[in-house]
Amino acid sequence: MAQQAYMTETANGGSGPERRRDRFRRLMSHLFSGWRGDPGIWRRGIVLAALAVILALVMLLHARIPNRVGNLGSLTETFLPWLGLLVPVLLLLALVRKSATALIALLVPVTVWLNLFGGLLSDKTGSGGDLTVATHNVNADNPDPSGTARDVAASGADVVALEELTATAVPVYERALEPTYKYHSVQGTVGLWSKYPMSDVRAVDIKLGWTRAMRATVTTPEGPVAFYVAHLPSVRVKLEAGFTARQRDKSADALGEAIADERLPRKILLGDLNGTMNDRSLNGVTSQMRSTQGAAGNGFGFSWPASFPMARIDQIMVQGIEPVSSWTLPATGSDHLPVAARVNLDTSS
């Protein structure tokens, strides 16, 4: 019986894994055979080559894509790293078409992408540092605010910022964080918890009509540091209006002005900026501060949405401070991932 089964299986083309390997070998043979001596490899794939060059130009000249129509420029910049996924698609099509022209043209977008994002692929995480900070958009509809607070506190952060706080959830967060953080302040829908004394706490006007940003001085063992917490307005992608972000952009400019007017030389910004470091509309902030993820992270550090992170819109940014390491924390009950960073406040050495 066993011999009959074996003969039947062999007669039907082999076992499942063997058939899959055979199909893969046939596919590879089709893709890579017949290139030598084929003069058509230079004539075929002109359209694919043109698409490759267009892709490279979009990435290279993204800052020139106008925002006048549906904020198209900012929308492109928000998901700019993901344009690199088009390269393997074009590569496969070039192989199917047996087009040497398209393959050579693909070197252009690959070079541009690596120039823009290649630095993020390396691990720049360092050791040491004298202050750990974390920020988390906890989500107004979070089903487990107490558990979320405990998860963030477990990161070991000395200072924690929370955004999207609701009036009913604030007492829950306060009780959960009180054992770890002696000092805290909540301003509107944002709050700051610290192991070190806080002073000069005040709301920051980001032109919304209600409070979604604050500022505080935290007196660390290395001296005072100005902390800013912000939750910029959300953006929407609408069929009739495109990437609607006018209020976010206005608030970003106001936040940038407040940080520029700060008298303390050491500044840390924590919050949900509803935009990435590539988004030109955040230049009022990003032009004067460094991203800890960009300077000392490992990878892109995407933080939203938590179920399948596609963009880093939750930011930790510093000025007058040296980032040492930056990372994302495990998912909580929020639709955002918490992010954390370790920094060195003493930059004299």
Side-chain angles (χ1 to χ4, degrees):
M1 181 67 69
Q3 183 178 4
Q4 181 181 357
Y6 173 80
M7 293 175 64
T8 301
E9 185 179 85
T10 304
N12 288 336
S15 63
E18 290 175 347
R19 285 198 298 270
R20 285 194 292 270
R21 284 194 293 270
D22 288 341
R23 285 197 295 267
F24 179 74
R25 282 194 291 266
R26 286 196 297 270
L27 175 61
M28 291 298 101
S29 176
H30 172 73
L31 291 179
F32 292 103
S33 65
W35 289 72
R36 182 175 298 179
D38 180 4
I41 63 174
W42 299 106
R43 295 193 297 269
R44 290 191 297 267
I46 300 300
V47 173
L48 291 176
L51 290 175
V53 173
I54 291 172
L55 175 61
L57 290 175
V58 169
M59 291 189 290
L60 184 64
L61 304 176
H62 63 87
R64 295 182 178 272
I65 300 175
N67 262 341
R68 291 188 297 272
V69 180
N71 261 30
L72 183 60
S74 288
L75 178 60
T76 302
E77 289 164 340
T78 297
F79 299 102
L80 194 61
W82 292 95
L83 292 181
L85 291 180
L86 295 176
V87 170
V89 175
L90 292 174
L91 173 61
L92 180 59
L93 293 175
L95 290 174
V96 171
R97 290 283 291 149
K98 291 185 170 59
S99 170
T101 302
L103 288 176
I104 293 174
L106 274 174
L107 294 175
V108 182
V110 168
T111 302
V112 173
W113 192 94
L114 289 175
N115 182 61
L116 290 173
F117 305 110
L120 293 175
L121 300 179
S122 61
D123 186 355
K124 297 178 290 298
T125 301
S127 59
D130 43 36
L131 187 75
T132 301
V133 298
T135 182
H136 190 22
N137 179 326
V138 295
N139 188 0
D141 298 322
N142 192 318
D144 184 19
S146 181
T148 295
R150 289 193 299 270
D151 289 344
V152 175
S155 68
D158 301 299
V159 182
V160 169
L162 300 181
E163 303 88 48
E164 209 165 294
L165 297 169
T166 63
T168 55
V170 165
V172 179
Y173 288 107
E174 289 175 330
R175 287 193 298 269
L177 294 172
E178 185 178 13
T180 306
Y181 302 97
K182 184 177 180 180
Y183 309 94
H184 88 279
S185 175
V186 174
Q187 303 287 322
T189 62
V190 298
L192 190 67
W193 278 258
S194 172
K195 295 179 179 179
Y196 305 120
M198 294 169 52
S199 60
D200 196 12
V201 180
R202 61 179 183 270
V204 174
D205 182 13
I206 55 173
K207 312 302 181 185
L208 275 176
W210 68 95
T211 301
R212 283 179 39 154
M214 63 176 290
R215 180 255 181 231
T217 298
V218 175
T219 305
T220 74
E222 299 295 333
V225 178
F227 274 83
Y228 285 80
V229 183
H231 182 195
L232 297 186
S234 300
V235 296
R236 298 287 186 268
V237 180
K238 299 179 180 179
L239 185 62
E240 73 279 5
F243 191 61
T244 57
R246 182 173 300 175
Q247 185 58 64
R248 191 279 311 268
D249 300 348
K250 181 180 178 182
S251 293
D253 290 340
L255 177 62
E257 291 173 5
I259 293 172
D261 292 339
E262 174 59 51
R263 294 185 177 182
L264 289 179
R266 295 185 295 191
K267 313 169 192 178
I268 297 179
L269 169 62
L270 306 168
D272 175 5
L273 302 189
N274 269 307
T276 68
M277 296 298 296
N278 296 312
D279 191 336
R280 77 195 70 173
S281 298
L282 300 184
N283 281 351
V285 175
T286 58
S287 62
Q288 57 182 318
M289 306 190 83
R290 297 175 69 192
S291 163
T292 58
Q293 183 66 27
N298 180 14
F300 291 94
F302 294 147
S303 64
W304 176 89
S307 57
F308 188 83
M310 297 183 65
R312 185 180 178 89
I313 62 175
D314 302 276
Q315 308 290 353
I316 299 176
M317 304 185 69
V318 299
Q319 184 181 22
I321 293 168
E322 187 63 30
V324 174
S325 58
S326 187
W327 63 96
T328 57
L329 297 169
T332 68
S334 172
D335 57 340
H336 292 241
L337 294 178
V339 298
R342 183 83 174 158
V343 300
N344 189 0
L345 298 179
D346 183 6
T347 59
S348 58
S349 58

